[in-house]
Amino acid sequence: EQVLEQPLNALVIGTEWAEFKNFPLTVLQQKLEKAPIIDGRNCYELEEIIAAQIPFYYSVGRPPVVNYKIQKF
């Protein structure tokens, strides 16, 4: 949570610890605004990302979410 107290250009998730997997996506959306999330551990389902109104989400082995839509590879 301390990281989110400063302006961020992006958020990179490199672990699947419960603290990250269970962090409220609505809070991330408010803090990040339009900054992308790069999720190296696939902590979130793509539908959850869209429902939380996170505009840019990139994960491993799955299509990205860009402008609230799942993109095709």
Side-chain angles (χ1 to χ4, degrees), residues 10-26:
L11 175 66
V12 177
I13 300 172
T15 180
E16 52 189 305
W17 290 352
E19 293 91 340
F20 293 98
K21 291 179 86 168
N22 298 326
F23 197 85
L25 288 174
T26 53

Side-chain angles (χ1 to χ4, degrees), residues 18-56:
E19 293 91 340
F20 293 98
K21 291 179 86 168
N22 298 326
F23 197 85
L25 288 174
T26 53
V27 173
L28 282 180
Q29 188 278 329
Q30 292 170 356
K31 299 292 186 174
L32 293 172
E33 296 178 1
K34 295 202 179 279
I37 297 174
I38 297 105
D39 183 357
R41 304 302 296 172
N42 294 340
C43 289
Y44 303 108
E45 295 297 324
L46 300 180
E47 292 77 16
E48 292 176 306
I49 293 294
I50 293 168
Q53 294 292 298
I54 294 173
F56 303 103

